[in-house]
Amino acid sequence: MSEQTLAEIGEFGLITRIEELVARLAPGEQVLVGPGDDAAVLRVRNGHVVVSTDLMVEGRHFRRDWADAADVGHRAAAQNLSDLNAMGGRATWLTVGFAAPPALPAQWALDFTRGFAEECALVGAGLVGGDVSSSDQIVISVTVMGSCTVSPVLRSGAQPGEIVALAGRQGWAAGGLAVLGRGFRSPRKLVDAYRRPEPPYDAGRAAAEAGATAMIDVSDGLLADALHVARASGVAIDVRTEAFEVPEPLVAVGAATGADPMSFVLGGGDDHSLLATFPPDAALPEGWLEIGRVSQASADGPAVTVDGEPYDGPYGWTHF
Amino acid sequence: MSEQTLAEIGEFGLITRIEELVARLAPGEQVLVGPGDDAAVLRVRNGHVVVSTDLMVEGRHFRRDWADAADVGHRAAAQNLSDLNAMGGRATWLTVGFAAPPALPAQWALDFTRGFAEECALVGAGLVGGDVSSSDQIVISVTVMGSCTVSPVLRSGAQPGEIVALAGRQGWAAGGLAVLGRGFRSPRKLVDAYRRPEPPYDAGRAAAEAGATAMIDVSDGLLADALHVARASGVAIDVRTEAFEVPEPLVAVGAATGADPMSFVLGGGDDHSLLATFPPDAALPEGWLEIGRVSQASADGPAVTVDGEPYDGPYGWTHF
């Protein structure tokens, strides 16, 4: 098995193996009809479904020499589960479109699936369907579905005077990516953070229940995503660097590469932390750290500043 | 605009244009939160959601010199809407993961979106979210969601003695593909059938309401998909060629290429017709044609035969 390519195992052979793995690792709840028919059928309890789709492209979002297949699976699941986290919801089901070269070892696809299903199992979500195809390059498209127990928290609800807060690690994965990009494999903690992010899966719902007014998954970069919130809400956001304790491994990477370690914190996105705004008198839930304030947008429109000034480093990343 | 590439218009520029198009062409019903946040929020009325994901890869499922961008959009939507049709349901929402080379004209992506949204509008479905990324090759991953008003019709319910029936055109798109593959552009009706399939969108629900016991979207090939039903149900299926009136353009293509025109009917999958089984005394709904019978599987296991004999032509296609 481990020696076979996708071309050798075949489309239906691969699907059968994936279905076996998934049934064992992450069957999911409330699945009325699982993988194997024209569509899956899922029981919806709260009268609504929350849905998001994300792409991962080899060479663009991951490299096979920088992370093993299970890592890529964990990360593909994490970035999607995190989108529902950012709505204040919980993911219950996912589908995967998996396009890959025929010469890819079938074991890579199965290890990917294992990592993916293990990450889903952390929140009790199940892989309920998908498609496979040949392509020149690995392209993975994940759709996640779930629901909220309180009203979904959008990007557009931030008000002047409110607190800006962060949950989860920030800058670790970007530091790991910088290390890998220079051909190194340490500090190991940063590299591991890039390979398998640890999104704060409980923080989104806790924030929603605590009255968060706006929330976003930090995937483009802390400042870039703060700017998404500022624009959607029509406000200004100021982030204070004194709020962050830059972790020791990032200080080491900064010293070794000549980069300001704070730039990883402010521009990094791959940790899938959450950024949210709360009313000024809100008690922040456990795991949330105040990092700034919302104010009225100036005549120039919504903006994000750092310590009260425009920031001249990168806010994050774009995908073309 | 029409001269710009995806790299020039940028990720967020493209997303903004897509959202404008979609809001105009196919806004969708019961969309509580549409595109633009971390996730979409959709109102579910029937206590369940039916979900399917399909991939389309350039060079594998479409060629840009064989179909224009709007055609590819129509086809991408049609093949997914058809999966819900095959459950006896109706599609209400779709998401799209769109990976493409940075040098692709932005107009291609927008024309794709227009065709996609127009096809969705045929059944009242809306595009509610998605993602874009750069890649070496166009890869489109569509997830469709919807619901059923009666119990979903699976592949596994066929019983010996039942009628096998077909709804929709069969063989037209395969004929068109054969024509295009030889460098021709006519018969135009076949080429058009390949570029923009016309799935029988009302036939799935009608079949479910008439008591269909098993149903499948014919996408791999009529015999290949009949074999999926036979295996899932543990039965044998015999298809009778006398049931089909081979359309004149297919006869012409057969004569020109030396192929048996019936091979397009039996092996073709791109029309997205539906195959279903019905109890022997069922009155077939309008648009359904009896094409064969279900019988007990022999000792060799589930199988599909043609006019009582094993078939030596292709049953359909596989994707690696």
Side-chain angles (χ1 to χ4, degrees), chain B residues 275-301:
Chain B
L275 179 82
T277 56
F278 293 87
D281 56 353
L284 295 186
E286 193 186 327
W288 284 89
L289 173 72
E290 180 174 340
I291 63 162
R293 283 278 167 171
V294 182
S295 61
Q296 291 209 328
S298 75
D300 295 337

Side-chain angles (χ1 to χ4, degrees), chain B residues 23-39:
Chain B
R24 188 157 51 80
L25 294 173
E29 304 161 29
Q30 305 171 23
V31 176
L32 304 175
V33 177
D37 218 291
D38 290 283

Side-chain angles (χ1 to χ4, degrees), chain B residues 219-233:
Chain B
S219 57
D220 291 326
L222 176 56
L223 299 181
D225 287 309
L227 191 55
H228 292 317
V229 170
R231 286 179 174 155
S233 300

Side-chain angles (χ1 to χ4, degrees), chain B residues 66-102:
Chain B
W66 286 1
D68 69 25
D71 291 335
V72 177
H74 274 276
R75 204 145 71 80
Q79 76 172 35
N80 281 275
L81 299 175
S82 186
D83 280 319
L84 261 62
N85 199 18
M87 301 296 281
R90 191 175 75 82
T92 39
W93 311 294
L94 300 96
T95 66
V96 177
F98 185 89

